[in-house]
Amino acid sequence: MKNFKAKFMGFIKNISEGIIYGNFVATVIFQIFCVFLALIGEPDFFNITAFYLVLDAFVIISTVFVLYKSGSIHKIDADIIGNNFIGFGKKSRNFRKAVEDFCNDDFPKAINELKDIEEKYNLSDSENGVLCFYVARCYDIMSYYPNALNYYEKAEKSGFSDESIILFKANCIGASGDTEQALSIYNDILNSDNRYSIYVRTYIGKMYLENRQPEKALKWYLEAVEKRENYAMALGGCSLAYLMLGNKEESQKYYQYAIINNMSDLEGFKAYYKEISESLKGSDSVV
């Protein structure tokens, strides 16, 4: 029934686009006729022609603006969005707005907008998969890992498939405390040709840091540094792991390396470093 409904809605959409295109062509022909009458001495048609020319200019400018906005959003995550949510309908416009808010780091607002689309519109499986993936990413970034994992799985059930999703799922599982299951998934990625495998060692290091196991974290971060995988992040991870282990000299060395190599989210890294430093003040493990 769902496939029939999707096909039926696609059929209606095609008819609607045909009607809109037909009306546009008819309007253009009418305007050409008005210009012809004005040129042969029928001044009464001049005002009508001028009005339609102004209207046309407005429509063209609006269309170009909408197409530009649409194209810019789809270019951000072309592999993720694909041919979903393309067009001038309210559903597509709302989705583009939600993705804009996601890209601007306004994750709570993006979640609300995406869930509103999920509730109000009859989405195809493909659209639902993309939407659920973005909801999952919002929850993941906000550290609501069980919610994120739930939406990653919803995306997969809708047929969504991207090599990144298994990495994100492992991150959620590890951050929720199940490091053994997460490590098993990470090792599977390392043994595959997944294009995101270069991030795995730093993800494992992060998992162990968050679970206060700096020795294990350092092992994986040093491997990433040696292989130059996700290099700046690996250097930053080494700095944090050494700090937790009480080796301030090595920690500061890798701290500077991370900054020199353009550590992403530098302010967040500095804040986290400061937080760990303050939490370790007075500890016997700090040298």
Side-chain angles (χ1 to χ4, degrees):
M1 177 61 73
K2 192 168 186 179
N3 289 336
F4 170 78
K5 190 179 289 186
K7 289 180 180 179
F8 179 75
M9 293 304 295
F11 174 71
I12 295 298
K13 179 183 176 183
N14 290 335
I15 291 177
S16 300
E17 291 176 349
I19 292 172
I20 292 170
Y21 177 75
N23 286 336
F24 176 76
V25 171
T27 302
V28 170
I29 292 173
F30 175 72
Q31 290 174 52
I32 294 172
F33 180 66
C34 289
V35 170
F36 173 74
L37 291 175
L39 290 175
I40 64 173
E42 295 290 342
D44 292 341
F45 287 92
F46 179 78
N47 291 335
I48 297 175
T49 304
F51 169 78
Y52 273 112
L53 288 174
V54 172
L55 182 62
D56 284 347
F58 175 77
V59 170
I60 291 170
I61 292 171
S62 300
T63 301
V64 169
F65 176 76
V66 171
L67 287 173
Y68 171 77
K69 295 291 285 184
S70 173
S72 62
I73 292 301
H74 282 73
K75 287 176 183 177
I76 293 172
D77 274 339
D79 293 341
I80 300 297
I81 301 174
N83 293 321
N84 297 292
F85 299 105
I86 293 176
F88 299 98
K90 191 172 182 181
K91 177 180 68 175
S92 297
R93 296 199 308 271
N94 289 349
F95 176 79
R96 288 194 288 269
K97 179 64 173 62
V99 174
E100 285 180 4
D101 289 326
F102 171 82
C103 294
N104 291 326
D105 297 337
D106 194 345
F107 305 115
K109 187 176 180 182
I111 287 175
N112 290 333
E113 290 167 335
L114 290 166
K115 285 190 172 182
D116 188 57
I117 296 170
E118 184 182 23
E119 292 173 3
K120 286 185 177 179
Y121 298 98
N122 180 35
L123 303 178
S124 67
D125 286 341
S126 182
E127 289 174 331
N128 191 59
V130 170
L131 183 140
C132 287
F133 178 80
Y134 275 104
V135 174
R137 292 300 299 133
C138 291
Y139 277 130
D140 196 344
I141 295 168
M142 294 167 66
S143 300
Y144 295 128
Y145 298 114
N147 299 47
L149 185 59
N150 179 43
Y151 269 91
Y152 283 133
E153 290 174 348
K154 280 187 176 182
E156 287 183 313
K157 287 178 182 178
S158 292
F160 180 84
S161 177
D162 186 83
E163 288 183 314
S164 65
I165 198 167
I166 188 172
L167 184 68
F168 295 141
K169 286 175 65 179
N171 176 65
C172 291
I173 292 169
S176 298
D178 194 344
T179 55
E180 288 188 12
Q181 183 185 354
L183 184 60
S184 176
I185 297 172
Y186 283 131
N187 280 323
D188 287 341
I189 300 173
L190 283 175
N191 294 325
S192 71
D193 58 356
N194 190 306
R195 61 188 169 126
Y196 294 102
S197 61
I198 59 172
Y199 299 101
V200 167
R201 288 179 173 82
T202 52
Y203 267 66
I204 296 174
K206 172 177 171 288
M207 175 181 71
Y208 283 127
L209 276 186
E210 291 174 345
N211 284 278
R212 291 298 187 265
Q213 294 177 282
E215 299 94 344
K216 291 182 178 180
L218 182 61
K219 169 186 175 295
W220 288 98
Y221 279 129
L222 287 173
E223 284 186 17
V225 169
E226 182 182 351
K227 295 177 180 294
R228 300 189 74 86
E229 294 175 344
N230 201 12
Y231 191 57
M233 187 66 69
L235 292 168
C238 287
S239 174
L240 295 171
Y242 275 123
L243 181 63
M244 286 185 179
L245 290 169
N247 191 334
K248 284 187 175 180
E249 184 177 347
E250 286 296 299
S251 178
Q252 281 294 316
K253 182 177 76 173
Y254 279 96
Y255 182 91
Q256 294 301 323
Y257 288 162
I259 293 175
I260 292 171
N261 283 275
N262 299 316
M263 175 78 172
S264 63
D265 189 18
L266 183 58
E267 294 307 313
F269 170 65
K270 288 180 177 179
Y272 191 37
Y273 190 94
K274 182 180 179 182
E275 179 186 330
I276 294 175
S277 297
E278 291 177 350
S279 70
L280 293 174
K281 279 182 181 178
S283 171
D284 293 336
S285 62
V286 178
V287 294

